[in-house]
Amino acid sequence: MSASTLRSHSDSTSLAARHNTVARSLRAELYRLRSWPAMWTTVGTWFLLAMVFGYVFPYVSYTTGTAGFSTEGEPTEALLQSALPESIPDILVQGTPLFGGALVLVLGALIAGNGYSWGTWKTVFTHGRLRPTIGALLALAVIVAAMVVVTAVLCTVVSVSLATIETQPLTMPSAGALLRSAGAAYLVFMMWGTIGFALGTYARSAALSVGPGLVWTVVVENLLRGVGSALQLVEDVTAFLSGTAAGSLVGAVTGGGEGTPGVVDVISGPRALITVAAYIAVAVVATGILVRSRDVN
């Protein structure tokens, strides 16, 4: 057997071994997370909030409205329409820029940070650092995908039930609209999740990364966008912020989402898509650099 053949065989074996290590890390991480109460609490909170803001509040306002209007002055028929099956794409994605993104940021920070707090990474990294980290990021990606799918299923079940109760026609959304909303929800969630993962890796603690992350997501970015209406320099800066990109992407998918917290139209849809993808790439690369360049204490 020639030397080149031996080298080729060795490279193939090495590549297969690396892939196998990543797959094992993914399976191990998913096994750990599925028995972790904090993960189920975070994910369950998202499902609860999505249903409450997407269906419970509009339907209660519809049923309690007087003189054809809800207490906020919105026509009750419009409130009912917003809770019917044709509005599933909008409800699926409308909560992701703000409270949904904040919850996934917490989830990413917990996955990375608790590994340091509990000493798990210290043991795992003795067998290599990058591949276990990739496995954990892939586990986050799988969980986010499951969140989007389950949310779509819940929206379908609830909206069809409400349409049946109110004897409304079952007008289902198009597959294209549903896929666009699901894709946007997934990207926005992944952006916040990878940012949280990077913060947890940097701080080596879930608690130290969750606080600043939530303050930035929920408070600081909204304040900057408010100040930006008066100061041009601040407005130019906010156009590059993660929350602006997420809100603009959702706004492009939903057609504006006027009045929905976190949904904006500051930048165009294509630019928002590129910005969200860039944040994901930067967060993943930054995590890899941190893991490879530091000692685990």
Side-chain angles (χ1 to χ4, degrees), residues 140-163:
L140 174 64
V142 170
I143 293 171
V144 167
M147 289 175 64
V148 174
V149 171
V150 173
T151 304
V153 172
L154 290 174
C155 288
T156 302
V157 171
V158 175
S159 61
V160 169
S161 299
L162 292 178

Side-chain angles (χ1 to χ4, degrees), residues 217-243:
T217 305
V218 179
V219 180
V220 175
E221 287 206 13
N222 287 304
L223 288 176
L224 288 175
R225 280 195 290 271
V227 174
S229 60
L231 298 175
Q232 184 61 43
L233 177 60
V234 177
E235 183 177 2
D236 293 338
V237 171
T238 57
F240 295 93
L241 297 180
S242 51

Side-chain angles (χ1 to χ4, degrees), residues 64-116:
T64 59
T66 57
F69 289 88
S70 68
T71 54
E72 291 79 17
E74 185 176 354
T76 55
E77 286 301 320
L79 287 170
L80 178 60
Q81 291 299 317
S82 71
L84 294 181
E86 59 188 337
S87 298
I88 290 174
D90 291 346
I91 296 175
L92 174 61
V93 76
Q94 67 184 7
T96 58
L98 193 59
F99 60 82
L103 287 168
V104 178
L105 184 146
V106 170
L107 181 61
L110 288 173
I111 292 173
N114 279 343
Y116 291 97

Side-chain angles (χ1 to χ4, degrees), residues 245-292:
S248 296
L249 180 59
V250 172
V253 170
T254 61
E258 185 177 353
T260 304
V263 179
V264 297
D265 58 355
V266 176
I267 58 180
S268 66
R271 179 180 169 185
L273 176 62
I274 294 172
T275 306
V276 168
Y279 269 105
I280 295 173
V282 170
V284 170
V285 171
T287 299
I289 293 173
L290 285 169
V291 168
R292 295 197 66 176

